[in-house]
Amino acid sequence: MRASDGDRDRVAAALREHVAEGRLTVDEFNDRLAQVYASKTYGELSKLTVDLPDIDLHRLPATASAQARQRPARSRQTGLKAAWAAWATASAINWVIWLIVVVTSVHWVYPWPLWVMGPWGAILLAGTLFGKEQRRP
């Protein structure tokens, strides 16, 4: 019976799992992987894994997709932390410059750093409060 691309991908995923567990060397994996994508039938695919223990090939992609679903939440949170850190750093630098100018000048200087941190902070705050997680299909 002819094998589909999905069948070949599942066997390739199983071979990757066997390499990760130390049952195959990298050279053996590369040789078998080339044979996997050249295989046309289930018989040819089964010959490539006959000496390896069975792995439920239908569960491997589901496990990978479950991990992929958890990543966007962490990456969004990390992105927000980085954006707020950049805002805080830029604001602090501007306030230090303003303070140096005020101390070294004879007259009062308008607090211009508010114009730097205000709009940027408002946009960040709105994104933090009302931003949605982007989900990939």
Side-chain angles (χ1 to χ4, degrees), residues 7 9 11-13 34 36 38-39 41 46 50 54 78 80 88 92 106 114 116 120 125 127 134 137:
D7 297 324
D9 289 339
V11 172
V36 163
S39 298
T41 64
S46 67
V50 73
D54 290 336
T78 303
L80 281 173
V106 180
L114 291 173
V116 175
W120 186 6
L125 183 62
Q134 294 179 352

Side-chain angles (χ1 to χ4, degrees), residues 40-133:
K40 293 185 178 15
T41 64
Y42 285 121
E44 292 172 345
L45 289 175
S46 67
K47 288 178 187 174
L48 298 172
T49 58
V50 73
D51 61 332
L52 300 169
D54 290 336
I55 292 179
D56 187 1
L57 299 178
H58 294 284
R59 291 186 66 204
L60 287 176
T63 303
S65 65
Q67 291 173 350
R69 271 186 252 126
Q70 293 173 353
R71 286 187 187 138
R74 277 190 257 140
S75 66
R76 181 178 185 272
Q77 187 178 26
T78 303
L80 281 173
K81 285 181 182 179
W84 279 107
W87 174 83
T89 303
S91 297
I93 290 170
N94 282 299
W95 280 113
V96 167
I97 293 169
W98 176 81
L99 186 61
I100 291 170
V101 170
V102 167
V103 169
T104 59
S105 69
V106 180
H107 55 80
W108 174 253
V109 177
Y110 180 78
W112 55 265
L114 291 173
W115 288 105
V116 175
M117 62 187 290
W120 186 6
I123 291 169
L124 276 176
L125 183 62
T128 301
L129 295 177
F130 305 112
K132 294 182 180 178
E133 246 183 69

